[in-house]
Amino acid sequence: MVPIGTVCNQTNLRQLQLEDSLLHKRLLLCIDFDTVIPLKPIAFLGDSLARLRDFPPDARAEAGHQLREVQQGNDPADWKPITTVARGVRESRIRKVSGAFRVIYLASSGERVVVLHAFHKKTQQTPQRDIELAASRYRAWKG
């Protein structure tokens, strides 16, 4: 690396050009890495978006982060399949100081992520009404 303030001669001018070229390539690699990840759009069914927005800030931020992972084709940090709703439906589990929250979604629907339901989980077992609501939204969406 040529120190700032160095008088340029042919030798260190070439070194500066190489460093500039490497820096340019590294910057492009970083830009490509950070910005060219295709994201699947998200479809929120029913009141799932409103319910997600009602989460406390810590849980809402984590749910947003986990949905972003799903949009990029990754798995959320903590999830399990919900086969009682339909094949391919998953539940993202969010545990924060403010409580336990769930986002039920379908990511294997082709070009989009479909959020079927979002809710604050208050009991050990997922309430049947939440599973039934997600299932009915899935059936309506599938047509």
Side-chain angles (χ1 to χ4, degrees), residues 57-74:
D58 61 342
R60 188 174 55 242
E62 183 63 23
H65 173 74
Q66 296 307 325
L67 283 172
R68 177 65 145 220
E69 288 295 316
V70 173
Q71 283 183 286
Q72 294 173 351
N74 302 321

Side-chain angles (χ1 to χ4, degrees), residues 77-130:
D78 186 6
W79 67 274
K80 72 174 189 173
I82 305 290
T83 55
T84 54
V85 173
R87 187 170 161 237
V89 173
R90 295 177 170 186
E91 176 184 67
S92 177
R93 301 182 288 197
I94 298 152
R95 294 179 182 96
K96 291 294 182 185
V97 172
S98 55
F101 298 85
R102 301 294 185 260
V103 178
I104 299 176
Y105 68 94
L106 175 68
S108 60
S109 64
E111 297 302 313
R112 72 183 57 249
V113 175
V114 180
V115 176
L116 302 169
H117 188 36
F119 60 98
H120 183 183
K121 187 173 177 194
K122 298 175 184 174
T123 60
Q124 185 70 23
Q125 188 174 0
T126 301
Q128 191 61 35
R129 71 178 183 282
D130 289 309

Side-chain angles (χ1 to χ4, degrees), residues 27-85:
L27 283 173
L28 286 178
L29 180 63
C30 290
I31 290 169
D32 285 346
F33 180 75
D34 288 342
T35 60
V36 187
I37 298 172
L39 297 178
K40 289 183 175 183
I42 298 180
F44 292 91
L45 302 186
D47 67 347
S48 59
L49 179 58
R51 285 175 162 250
L52 190 65
R53 287 180 174 160
D54 287 341
F55 284 8
D58 61 342
R60 188 174 55 242
E62 183 63 23
H65 173 74
Q66 296 307 325
L67 283 172
R68 177 65 145 220
E69 288 295 316
V70 173
Q71 283 183 286
Q72 294 173 351
N74 302 321
D75 289 331
D78 186 6
W79 67 274
K80 72 174 189 173
I82 305 290
T83 55
T84 54
V85 173

